[in-house]
Amino acid sequence: MTRNRQPLHAEMMIKVCGMKDADNIRNVAALTPMMMGFIFYSGSQRYAGNLDADVVRSLPGHVRPVGVFVNSEEHEVIEICRRYGIKIVQLHGEESPAMCGSLRRQGFTVFKAVGIATAADFSMLSEYEGCVDMFLFDTKSPQHGGTGCQFDHSLLEKYSLDVPYLLSGGIGPGDVDTVVAAMRPGMAGIDINSRFEIAPGVKNLRALIQFILSLRSFNEYESDNTPFWEK
């Protein structure tokens, strides 16, 4: 990835995470986000493990499902992903570079979520180079995400690796200017979740439409584009 070019908001990847209601999933998919996240962590209010696998498997081809896991065993991640037809995994716990690399070698695209509170939280990320396709920077919390709170985006200036990342953590309907101001070389897109909800796991469609249209312009060729990180 070339880091000397400022990203454009029209090129931003949008991932809508924390989906678990079948009707809401179909309605959000119609808004053509690039990715949709399904949380397979039983401690989450947005746990998707009871969702019919066919709901995920029937997503339009341009909406890529992402399986979100917290400290699951590797075989469990693989089993669930096979059941739901998922090829992208987001690891939100203390998963090792070795586990990330193993999943990647088995054909998965691997995102590693990292909680950010200070610049020191970037210090160990070099261990994951070559083992992950992308980082996801979230607000540091024992809840493993979904806090609705933002971290200090000026800390992104301290990130110097070539691995791209998604910006997460408390992005809400009124934060278009905040997202644009936060963009740095290396930032590939955003992850949105709890602040767009009318209930845990159910997204506010009107808020999503207004936000997405404000953030970027869609065109008829967008769904044919293959992101640089995808195998």
Side-chain angles (χ1 to χ4, degrees), residues 66-111:
V66 180
V68 181
F69 300 89
V70 179
N71 295 327
S72 296
E73 297 292 335
E74 183 175 338
H75 68 85
E76 182 181 6
V77 172
I78 294 170
E79 178 185 342
I80 290 173
C81 286
R82 285 177 177 166
R83 186 190 318 159
Y84 284 88
I86 292 172
K87 297 179 180 179
I88 307 172
V89 297
Q90 178 179 311
L91 304 178
H92 233 286
E94 287 73 49
E95 298 86 3
S96 67
M99 178 177 174
C100 294
S102 176
L103 288 168
R104 199 164 181 247
R105 287 190 296 274
Q106 293 179 73
F108 291 98
T109 295
V110 179
F111 297 172

Side-chain angles (χ1 to χ4, degrees), residues 15 20 37 150-151 177 206 231:
K15 174 174 173 279
K20 70 175 186 178
Q150 295 181 12
F151 65 89
D177 290 344
R206 184 180 296 274
K231 296 180 178 63

Side-chain angles (χ1 to χ4, degrees), residues 49-69:
N50 298 318
L51 184 65
D52 187 337
D54 287 341
V55 174
V56 179
R57 287 184 169 274
S58 62
L59 284 172
H62 55 271
V63 179
R64 298 155 177 85
V66 180
V68 181
F69 300 89

Side-chain angles (χ1 to χ4, degrees), residues 2-9 11 157 179-187:
T2 302
R3 290 180 55 85
N4 59 4
R5 183 177 67 83
Q6 191 75 358
L8 302 175
H9 69 278
E11 300 173 344
E157 296 288 351
V179 169
V180 172
M183 289 193 294
R184 307 286 193 280
M187 180 175 158

